Each structure stands twice: as C-alpha cells, then as structure tokens.
Amino acid sequence: MTSIRPLHDRVLVQRVEQEEKTAGGIIIPDTAKEKPMEGLVVAVGFGTRDDSGKVHPLDVKAGDRILFGKWSGTEVKLDGQDYIVMKESDIMGVIEGKKSTTKKAA
C-alpha cells in the first residue's frame, strides 16, 4: 500500500458515499448523483509556520468527518482509491456525532 503524508496545511480526504435514496424513498441513479461534499480525513500535514518560524498545527485530524466546497482540492488516485488533497482553509467544518460510512475498495 502506498502512503502519502500531506505537507504544511494540506489534508488528504476520502469522499463519503451519499445516500442512494431520497427521504421520500426515490432511488437516485449513479449518473444523477452529485459528488459528495462530505469526506473523511485520512491524513494531515504538520501545519503552517508563521513569520517567526513557529508551527501552528491544523484544527482537523485523521478520522474527522468534514464538509468541504464542491470545487475544493485536487483529486488524486492512489492504489485504485480516489482521494482529494486540499488546504485546511477549503474545509467548511467538522461534522460531529454522525457515523462514518466510507466507500470500501473491491
């Protein structure tokens, strides 16, 4: 397995699968689904340095479930898995109290 360590204030994110049904029970086909804007943080960089050289760690950590903008980050593929590398500033918030459901590799 390939591993990647994001640099500085970057975060490696795996998209979280969306529900396949609407609240009314309508099944959404794959072709009509939008890319989810929720993800699971896989790895984080060490943080940013200020002008004096002091490192400020990131607010997110591996395992956090996050919400990010539709066009955030750069998509990459590692070992057949799709990920997004984005800056911490692209993250809009951490979702708390919701169980994580990630797409499993076949």
Side-chain angles (χ1 to χ4, degrees):
M1 176 176 167
T2 304
S3 64
I4 184 168
R5 181 179 49 92
L7 297 177
H8 309 293
D9 65 339
R10 288 184 173 76
V11 178
L12 183 66
V13 176
Q14 184 175 20
R15 287 188 193 270
V16 175
E17 280 294 303
Q18 282 186 306
E19 292 291 324
E20 299 197 8
K21 285 186 186 178
T22 64
I26 298 171
I27 297 175
I28 304 169
D30 286 340
T31 55
K33 287 183 190 174
E34 287 190 22
K35 288 185 178 180
M37 294 187 302
E38 285 184 32
L40 186 66
V41 176
V42 177
V44 297
F46 62 85
T48 57
R49 290 189 187 274
D50 61 16
D51 293 336
S52 66
K54 182 179 177 186
V55 176
H56 296 277
L58 303 182
D59 290 329
V60 296
K61 61 187 177 310
D64 282 349
R65 189 171 173 134
I66 60 166
L67 184 65
F68 54 88
K70 187 179 273 191
W71 309 110
S72 299
T74 302
E75 294 185 3
V76 296
K77 186 172 267 206
L78 299 168
D79 293 333
Q81 289 281 3
D82 292 323
Y83 297 97
I84 304 169
V85 177
M86 66 179 69
K87 288 189 167 239
E88 185 186 38
S89 60
D90 290 337
I91 297 172
M92 293 187 277
V94 176
I95 301 170
E96 296 183 1
K98 189 173 181 184
K99 288 189 177 183
S100 175
T101 55
T102 57
K103 184 192 269 186
K104 299 290 181 191

